[in-house]
Each structure stands twice: as structure tokens, then as C-alpha cells.
Amino acid sequence: MEAPPPYNLCNPNKKSTIINRSYTLLHSVAITSLIFYRLSSFFHSTPFLPLLLAFTSELILSVLWLLSQAFLWRPFIRQTFPERLVQDKNDDELPAIDVFICTADPEKEPLLEVMNTVLSAMAMDYPAEKLSVYVSDDGGCGLTLYAMKEAWEFGRYWVPFCTRFGIKTRCPKLYFSRYDDEFLGQGYEAEKEKIKLKYKLMEKQVQKAESNGKMLGEFNTKNHPAHVEFRVSNMISNSPYILVLDCDMRCNDPTSAKQAMCFHLDPKINSNLAFVQFPQKFHNLSKMDIYDGQLRSTFLVKWPGMDGLQGPMLSGSDTDFTQLKQYLGPSNELVKSLKSAKYNTDVTSRLLEETRFLASCKYEEGTQWGKQASIFTFKYIHITIIIIYASLICRKCFLSFEKQVGFLYMSLLEDYFTGFNLHCEGWKSIFYNPPSPAFLGTATTKLNDTLLQGSRWNCGALQVTCSRFCPLIYGLKSRMSLLQRMCYVYFSLQPFYFFPIWCLATIPQLCLLHGIPLYPKVSNSWFMVFSYIFIMSQLKHLEEVLSTGDPIRTWWNEQRIWMMKAIISYTIGMLNAVLKLLGLKEANFVPTNKVADDEQITFYQNGLFNFQASTVVLTPLITLVSLNMICFAAGATRTIVDGSFNAMFGQIFLSFYVLTVQYPLIDGMIFRKDKGRVPTSVTLLSLAISASFLCFGSLVIKS
């Protein structure tokens, strides 16, 4: 018999593979030559300290570059056919899904945004009896509970309306704000107006509650009464699949769940498939995208590369009832629920009491929730997950699944940490980038928020690096491939970019000021090695940008924001991780601010940086730009006077490159007069720090 058509197709990206591997080979030769040059001339050059710092920076960059090549080794392209799934499976045969929407702070995560996410999830094109939506409010806010009740009431009308007319945009806010409406059958316009009035009424009710401070009681955010927690789903719906969404990650394509099921229900791959991951995409990105909100390199280059590097099948041992209670806590009903994947419709008073117990913040004390991985395998259940890459930091709790007691919390980057443990156990994950965005979130539109969000991510990565779960050493005998491990090691060591960027933005410039060469003369054949590495790195980056369909300005913007993140995000993340390691500070989760005023949005849409940021964020950036301006002007003048341009060209070019890439900072310091300019106080402070560094650095070099 002829085999039925597949639900999905997977093909290697041969063109990218050839380009990537050729680049890796040639670039490796160039880097090896650079290291040989540095070692052979190391003890014949003076002064020693600047050369040592420059060489150390080059070594760190080389190691991180080598690790990053694992992402490029075997990129995949996937395609799904949900229409075939619908033809083969009726509604009764599709597995149930629990949808979890995580929120924490209504002041930073607007309630109407959360409500729209909930409503878009409720209206997904999936059998209603197989879909359960939960909201986990980690802040314990009564206003959020009130808003969810209003959303549920509106959903009673919204979901049937979407189903009846086949609405494609199932987020109410986006649906009612669009202009390209179409006729969808008799009675559509009249019904649409009725639904729109109900939506406006819901908006007014919630806005009124917000303005009145309607809290429905006071709550303790550390141990508040249960709203909805993940463990509770085991007692109520107990679905075998889980969809995790950030509070602002709206369901853009109603068929997204069925698209994921095209992988989970494929018998060739579902036995060891842990999760399907969609890319993070946003509805509020500007054409300029000056803050790299789309994270293009991650979701369009690195993730497709990792898609071809996942591990083999899972193997493990069974456990008994008593052992489960030691890890999952004292709830007998929770442990029993793990033996059954049946949907529970009989919500008795005893069950409600048990769910409140499970949802309490103190339930997990004395258990292994969020701490222990690789302990046991449930004999009678196979729970897998669909993870939407909605947020790197907002997934606070999770349902138990095989070989894992929920999300592991010990790091601020719990998704990275949990995924690493899953892959160590041999589980496989899939990255799927559909033609139409499956989910749309809200990107940060302010420099301050972008850089501080990055500092939290990097602090979390370093927490893992400094723990027993360090990817360099943990699970060396695990089922994870070498290339897959290299990807995890790269992310765990990524914060170390801070050192070479700080060094290369200061040391060559200081030496330029004093006429001390750190690079070969232009007439020296070794200069070609340095030139090749720089030029080919730029061309490879440009090739990646163009291959993903982005304009050339994306290449330039990404370089700028990467430098800023290395200076601020990586540095602050490193300091916070060290303080946490020394017990001097507790790493805490702070939601990213998703509230934006009109002025802030105007700056962002016009491609203007908003420098209304904290002094801690701005001062290092302005200091380094000021330092490069001084050294470039004075150093270039000196080389013209004494005729040393041939020897100092490398350092002159480096300063010029930094100033060109970071021109918006110069513009904000000198030319801009609007509210988004760099504050005068920050400019003066930065100039003072730059002058102090130059004076102190001069003394060190001359000594």
C-alpha cells in the first residue's frame, strides 16, 4: 500500500550549509594564523600589558566564534500540512491541550494586552472541548483576576463569532483595528458591530477598574491566594500537551496548535519529541528596528541551525507512588493524576480544595519542584510540551513531565536551563517558522528596557555556567551531540563578550594616543590576516541578513546594538551573577516594561534612539564614545605630523569604525535638542571619566 502523505516535511538548507562550512574552514585558517603571529611576536613587543589585553580579547572572540559555528553547521527548513491532519483525524482523535498564559505585574504588563492574549488563545482553531486556558498570575493581583472574568464573559460571544465566520485574526484588539476587512457572509457586518460594542464595553469596564484601583482585596505577592497555577491543571484538565505563552504573545494564526500537532502526531518523530518551538515575532516592530527587537540572528539563523542537532530517544527507569510524593509534594490527587491523562469534568468541592492547596506558593517547599532533573520516568504517562518562544524569562512554573519536575527555577533563564536538561536526557525539540507568524508579541521600544532585559538573560546564563549544570562539564556522558553541546556552551559563555569589547574600545585607542602600535603595518603581509578576518566577518554577517530577507540597514543596526549589549547587558549581567555567586545579591525576576507612551513610540518609529535611560546604562556608552572621539582626533593628527600612518592605521580604523557604528550616541550628545537626547549631566560625567582614564592609562603605559 502507498504510504499516506506526511504531516510535515524537513529538508536541510543545502545552500546555507555549503556557504557556512566553507566560511568556517577559511576563517579557522585565518584565526590560526593570527594566533601564530601573536605568539611569535609576543615577547618582542613593548609595552607588554596592552598587547596582552589585546591578545586575550582576540582569543576570547576566537573561542566564542568557534562555538557559534555549531549553529551554522546543519540548518533545516520545515513545512507543515495541517489540512492533512484534519483529513486524517476527527475532533475526537486530536489530543487535548492546556494553554498557560503567564503574567506578573499589571503595571508593566497592561491588562488589556493580557486579556487579548487570553481571548486569542480561547479562539484558536481547535476543538473547544480539547482546549483549556489557564492564567498564572505570579503577582497575585486582584485586578488581574477581575480582568480575566471580564475576558471570559466576552469570550462567550467572541469565540462563536470567530468560529461561525472563520475569522483569521482572533486577537480582538488587532481584529477591530485593521482596515482590510472583507465580507464573510450574510449577517457578518451586523454581528461584527454587536461584538465590537461588547469589546468596547469590556475595555471601559477594565479601564474604569484600573483607574479606581479596584483590587478585589489585598494580596501578598510572596504567598497569595491561588488564582491559577500550573500544577492545578493536572487536577482539572490534565491534558497531555501544554502550550506556554507570555502574557503579550497573542495567537496570530488560529491553526498554530494544529501546525505543532503535525510534528507531535508524526509517528516517526513523536517518541522522543519534547517540544515544538516557534520564533518570537512582534506586532509593534518599526521598519528600522533600531533595538533589534526581532532578534533576527537567534530566530532566523541560530534556531534553524540547532534544529538539525537534537539528540536521540529517551531511556530511564520507573518509580513508585511513594517516590513520586517525595519529589512532587504531599498531594495524593496530583500524584494520582499523573497516572491518567483523562480530562476531569467533575470539579467537586474536595477537588477545588486540593487545587487551592496545589496553587499555593508554599506547596513546593520541601519538594524537588524546580530543583531536581533526571530523577524518574512516569510509567503510565507521556507528557510532552509545545513551547512558544514568547519570553526568555516569564515562565515561572510548569507541569511535571517525563524526566523533569517542572521548570527548573535556579536560573533567571529557566527556559534555557530546562531545555538543556531535556536535551541532555536525549529528548528532541523542533523549530518551526511558519509562513505566517503563529504568535505576535510586544517588543521593547526603549533603549533602557532593551539593555536591562539583556542583562537579566545574561545573568541567568552565567548562573547556569557557575553551577553544577555548566554545559562544559555537566552530562559529558549524556545523549547530547558535540555540536548541540557547543550551542549551549556558546550561550552560557556569551556574557564574556564584555571583556574583549571593553578592551578593544579602550586599549588600542589609548595606545594610538601615545603612538604605540598593536597591529602590523599596512605594508606587512600579516596585516592581510587581520584585514581578512574583519572583512569576511562583516561579509558573512551581511550574507546572513540578506538571506533572511532583511535590508542592509539591519546589518548595521545589529552591529550597533550588539556593541551596546556587550558594554551594558553582558557587563551588568556578569556583575549580578558574580554578586549572586558570592551571596551579596539575590538574582530576582523583574518583568520587562511593556507600557509605552506616545512620545516613546514616536522616537522608535522614526528610528531615533530614546536616551531617557538610567545613568548606569548611559554613562559607560557615552564614556567610550567620548574616549574614541578624543583618541581618534588626537591620534590621527599625531600620525599625520610624525608620519606613522602606516604603523598606526589599524588603530585609527578601529576608532573610526566604533564612532561610525555608534554615531547615534554622538548625535544624541551634540546635535539633538529633543527630550530623547543624552542628558548634559551624563555627557559631562562621561567626559570626566574619559579624561581620568586617559590620565591613568598614560601613567601605566609609560611606567
Side-chain angles (χ1 to χ4, degrees):
M1 291 180 63
E2 185 179 350
Y7 299 150
N8 65 85
L9 289 178
C10 175
N11 297 302
N13 190 333
K14 294 182 180 180
K15 178 182 177 181
S16 293
T17 299
I18 294 172
I19 293 174
N20 294 342
R21 294 185 182 184
S22 300
Y23 165 73
T24 300
L25 176 62
L26 296 174
H27 210 72
S28 298
V29 174
I31 288 177
T32 303
S33 301
L34 183 151
I35 294 173
F36 174 79
Y37 167 78
R38 286 299 194 195
L39 291 175
S40 61
S41 60
F42 197 82
F43 298 102
H44 304 289
S45 304
T46 56
F48 179 77
L49 182 59
L51 191 61
L52 176 63
L53 291 174
F55 183 39
T56 303
S57 300
E58 291 161 358
L59 283 177
I60 293 174
L61 290 174
S62 299
V63 170
L64 290 171
W65 172 85
L66 180 62
L67 292 171
S68 70
Q69 297 314 292
F71 295 106
L72 307 178
W73 197 251
R74 196 180 177 218
F76 270 19
I77 300 174
R78 294 187 184 270
Q79 185 179 3
T80 61
F81 305 96
E83 66 280 1
R84 296 176 182 174
L85 181 70
V86 174
Q87 291 173 359
D88 291 351
K89 308 281 186 182
N90 56 42
D91 288 355
D92 293 335
E93 293 177 302
L94 290 175
I97 298 177
D98 285 343
V99 182
F100 289 105
I101 299 167
C102 309
T103 185
D105 187 345
E107 293 184 0
K108 294 184 177 181
E109 299 168 335
L111 286 175
L112 285 173
E113 301 295 325
V114 182
M115 295 168 71
N116 273 275
T117 299
V118 171
L119 288 164
S120 68
M122 292 170 61
M124 281 198 299
D125 183 15
Y126 207 78
E129 66 277 7
K130 296 293 185 74
L131 195 64
S132 303
V133 180
Y134 298 83
V135 177
S136 176
D137 178 17
D138 198 55
C141 178
L143 192 58
T144 303
L145 181 60
Y146 171 77
M148 293 309 105
K149 290 180 178 178
E150 291 292 318
W152 175 81
E153 184 64 32
F154 174 72
R156 295 171 57 194
Y157 305 95
W158 173 247
V159 175
F161 171 73
C162 292
T163 303
R164 176 183 173 186
F165 294 103
I167 304 299
K168 294 181 179 179
T169 304
R170 301 200 175 184
C171 169
K173 181 180 178 180
L174 295 182
Y175 171 75
F176 290 120
S177 63
R178 70 179 188 178
Y179 298 100
D180 57 339
D181 205 355
E182 56 182 288
F183 179 75
L184 295 176
Q186 187 176 4
Y188 166 68
E189 291 295 338
E191 193 67 23
K192 176 185 174 181
E193 288 304 313
K194 291 180 183 178
I195 296 294
K196 188 174 183 178
L197 288 175
K198 292 182 183 295
Y199 178 73
K200 293 297 181 183
L201 178 62
M202 179 189 72
E203 276 189 326
K204 290 180 180 178
Q205 292 283 84
V206 174
Q207 290 169 349
K208 182 179 179 181
E210 286 181 308
S211 61
N212 294 338
K214 187 173 183 179
M215 297 299 295
L216 299 180
E218 296 297 326
F219 295 90
N220 182 340
T221 58
K222 297 296 183 182
N223 188 26
H224 51 77
H227 289 188
V228 177
E229 285 283 338
F230 286 10
R231 288 183 290 262
V232 171
S233 72
N234 266 48
M235 307 298 300
I236 302 175
S237 51
N238 199 19
S239 299
Y241 293 90
I242 298 172
L243 169 63
V244 182
L245 295 174
D246 196 11
C247 64
D248 66 328
M249 192 57 67
R250 306 156 185 169
C251 300
N252 182 64
D253 187 341
T255 66
S256 55
K258 290 180 178 177
Q259 291 174 5
M261 285 301 167
C262 287
F263 299 105
H264 280 290
L265 299 182
D266 185 344
K268 295 181 180 179
I269 60 176
N270 67 359
S271 60
N272 67 333
L273 177 59
F275 57 91
V276 175
Q277 182 171 288
F278 291 87
Q280 191 173 10
K281 296 191 177 182
F282 305 97
H283 66 87
N284 64 329
L285 288 178
S286 69
K287 292 182 179 180
M288 300 292 288
D289 191 21
I290 54 176
Y291 302 131
D292 187 28
Q294 66 172 329
L295 299 174
R296 183 204 60 83
S297 178
T298 298
F299 294 112
L300 298 183
V301 178
K302 291 184 174 66
W303 265 213
M306 290 187 74
D307 198 21
L309 305 176
Q310 307 310 304
M313 294 183 64
L314 173 70
S315 61
S317 58
D318 299 329
T319 188
D320 60 21
F321 187 89
T322 304
Q323 195 175 4
L324 285 175
K325 291 184 68 174
Q326 293 173 356
Y327 292 103
L328 301 180
S331 172
N332 292 335
E333 296 300 321
L334 173 62
V335 175
K336 289 178 181 177
S337 72
L338 297 174
K339 303 289 187 177
S340 172
K342 294 180 179 179
Y343 193 95
N344 193 343
T345 57
D346 182 19
V347 185
T348 62
S349 59
R350 182 178 63 83
L351 183 59
L352 285 173
E353 186 63 30
E354 192 74 17
T355 57
R356 293 191 184 100
F357 175 45
L358 286 168
S360 65
C361 294
K362 291 186 177 181
Y363 173 81
E364 60 196 46
E365 291 182 4
T367 73
Q368 295 300 316
W369 276 96
K371 300 176 184 178
Q372 187 74 30
S374 308
I375 294 298
F376 53 80
T377 302
F378 299 138
K379 185 175 181 180
Y380 301 106
I381 188 170
H382 177 94
I383 294 187
T384 53
I385 58 174
I386 307 169
I387 289 185
I388 305 307
Y389 215 108
S391 170
L392 293 176
I393 56 178
C394 290
R395 303 181 202 131
K396 305 294 288 182
C397 44
F398 209 66
L399 181 67
S400 297
F401 51 89
E402 285 193 283
K403 301 295 267 181
Q404 187 87 28
V405 185
F407 260 126
L408 301 180
Y409 316 149
M410 62 153 280
S411 165
L412 291 178
L413 208 61
E414 72 278 5
D415 49 357
Y416 163 89
F417 188 30
T418 304
F420 172 66
N421 278 273
L422 279 170
H423 286 131
C424 281
E425 294 298 331
W427 287 94
K428 182 178 181 180
S429 58
I430 280 177
F431 174 75
Y432 179 56
N433 185 13
S436 175
F439 300 87
L440 288 174
T442 304
T444 54
T445 57
K446 193 174 180 182
L447 180 64
N448 194 75
D449 294 337
T450 299
L451 296 180
L452 291 182
Q453 181 186 57
S455 71
R456 291 195 298 272
W457 294 348
N458 286 281
C459 178
L462 280 170
Q463 283 181 276
V464 178
T465 305
C466 298
S467 71
R468 69 184 181 90
F469 296 99
C470 175
L472 281 168
I473 58 175
Y474 179 73
L476 290 176
K477 296 181 180 179
S478 70
R479 300 172 181 86
M480 187 186 296
S481 68
L482 174 62
L483 291 175
Q484 181 76 3
R485 184 177 298 280
M486 287 173 64
C487 294
Y488 277 107
V489 173
Y490 172 82
F491 277 118
S492 70
L493 298 181
Q494 184 177 247
F496 285 92
Y497 272 124
F498 90 95
F499 182 84
I501 299 304
W502 272 98
C503 285
L504 295 177
T506 56
I507 303 304
Q509 291 77 359
L510 180 62
C511 292
L512 171 63
L513 194 63
H514 292 277
I516 302 172
L518 293 181
Y519 301 100
K521 295 180 180 180
V522 176
S523 57
N524 190 321
S525 59
W526 284 105
F527 181 80
M528 296 301 295
V529 174
F530 288 84
S531 301
Y532 175 86
I533 290 174
F534 176 80
I535 293 172
M536 289 306 297
S537 296
Q538 297 297 322
L539 290 178
K540 184 63 176 72
H541 181 198
L542 180 60
E543 180 271 330
E544 289 177 1
V545 169
L546 297 178
S547 67
T548 55
D550 287 272
I552 293 179
R553 67 168 175 265
T554 300
W555 163 69
W556 198 243
N557 289 339
E558 286 184 353
Q559 292 189 64
R560 179 186 303 117
I561 200 66
W562 178 78
M563 288 185 187
M564 290 182 173
K565 287 179 178 179
I567 295 298
I568 302 301
S569 302
Y570 298 161
T571 304
I572 295 178
M574 174 72 74
L575 291 174
N576 286 340
V578 171
L579 292 175
K580 172 68 168 60
L581 185 65
L582 297 175
L584 301 177
K585 181 179 180 180
E586 181 178 353
N588 60 326
F589 164 74
V590 180
T592 302
N593 191 351
K594 291 162 186 172
V595 179
D597 55 43
D598 293 338
E599 184 181 56
Q600 176 180 323
I601 293 174
T602 301
F603 284 135
Y604 176 69
Q605 293 296 334
N606 292 332
L608 293 174
F609 276 77
N610 184 356
F611 294 115
Q612 299 178 67
S614 67
T615 304
V616 174
V617 169
L618 273 186
T619 302
L621 297 173
I622 303 302
T623 298
L624 291 179
V625 168
S626 302
L627 179 69
N628 276 265
M629 291 172 66
I630 295 170
C631 292
F632 175 74
T637 303
R638 178 188 181 121
T639 59
I640 294 173
V641 173
D642 62 17
S644 60
F645 185 81
N646 185 34
M648 305 303 299
F649 175 78
Q651 285 148 263
I652 293 174
F653 176 80
L654 182 58
S655 288
F656 177 75
Y657 171 71
V658 170
L659 293 175
T660 305
V661 173
Q662 298 299 336
Y663 176 77
L665 290 171
I666 301 174
D667 185 38
M669 290 169 56
I670 302 174
F671 303 111
R672 284 175 59 181
K673 304 300 179 184
D674 53 63
K675 292 182 180 180
R677 72 185 307 273
V678 176
T680 304
S681 58
V682 173
T683 301
L684 295 175
L685 175 61
S686 299
L687 288 171
I689 296 173
S690 298
S692 300
F693 174 81
L694 291 175
C695 292
F696 178 75
S698 300
L699 293 175
V700 172
I701 286 179
K702 293 177 180 179
S703 60

